[in-house]
């Protein structure tokens, strides 16, 4: 399946975990509307495309796991700016050894 764009309307959602669920398609830009989201676990799926800059709107995010997907391109600077001490983001995982460009000041774990 895919991640429904309608999830962006769940404004009180704090945790979204679709770890290892054979999810395909793109990461919906609408996830950036989840202003109360603290944990977003999308790892070990078949997500493709680039990482949306809208994820940089997740001002309360603490853990963002995007690794082990088919995502590519650069980690948006808007997401990197969420890292502590500026923001709440403590854990940011991506496939930055190959597909996603993300340096150690931004990503905390590369697979």
């Amino acid at each position: 399946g895919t991640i429904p764009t309608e999830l962006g309307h769940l404004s009180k959602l704090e945790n979204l975990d679709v770890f290892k669920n054979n999810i395909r398609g793109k990461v919906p830009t609408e996830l950036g509307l989840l202003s109360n989201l603290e944990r977003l676990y999308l790892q070990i799926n078949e997500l493709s495309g680039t990482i949306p800059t809208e994820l940089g709107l997740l001002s309360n995010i603490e853990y963002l796991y995007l690794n082990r997907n088919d995502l590519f391109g650069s980690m948006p600077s808007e997401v990197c700016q969420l890292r502590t001490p500026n923001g709440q983001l403590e854990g940011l995982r991506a496939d930055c050894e190959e597909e996603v460009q993300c340096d150690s000041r931004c990503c905390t774990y590369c697979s």
Side-chain angles (χ1 to χ4, degrees):
T2 60
I3 300 173
T5 58
E6 293 81 9
L7 280 178
H9 299 292
L10 301 175
S11 60
K12 297 194 188 291
L13 189 68
E14 294 179 357
N15 297 295
L16 178 58
D17 186 350
V18 293
F19 162 80
K20 204 173 182 180
N21 268 286
N22 297 315
I23 304 292
R24 298 173 186 227
K26 298 186 181 300
V27 177
T29 59
E30 290 82 359
L31 293 183
L33 299 172
L34 299 172
S35 57
N36 287 311
L37 198 65
E38 296 174 355
R39 292 173 178 83
L40 179 56
Y41 300 121
L42 302 178
Q43 75 271 36
I44 312 178
N45 282 292
E46 297 175 36
L47 293 167
S48 59
T50 58
I51 298 165
T53 58
E54 289 82 358
L55 294 184
L57 298 171
L58 299 173
S59 57
N60 289 309
I61 197 80
E62 296 173 1
Y63 298 96
L64 175 57
Y65 292 179
L66 303 167
N67 54 312
R68 299 187 57 192
N69 280 290
D70 295 319
L71 299 168
F72 61 87
S74 295
M75 182 65 67
S77 60
E78 294 86 349
V79 174
C80 294
Q81 290 171 2
L82 297 173
R83 282 288 313 278
T84 54
N86 303 329
Q88 304 291 322
L89 185 57
E90 293 179 31
L92 176 57
R93 296 183 175 194
D95 295 322
C96 43
E97 289 183 1
E98 295 180 16
E99 294 89 5
V100 176
Q101 288 79 49
C102 186
D103 66 40
S104 61
R105 290 170 293 173
C106 183
C107 287
T108 59
Y109 176 84
C110 292
S111 58

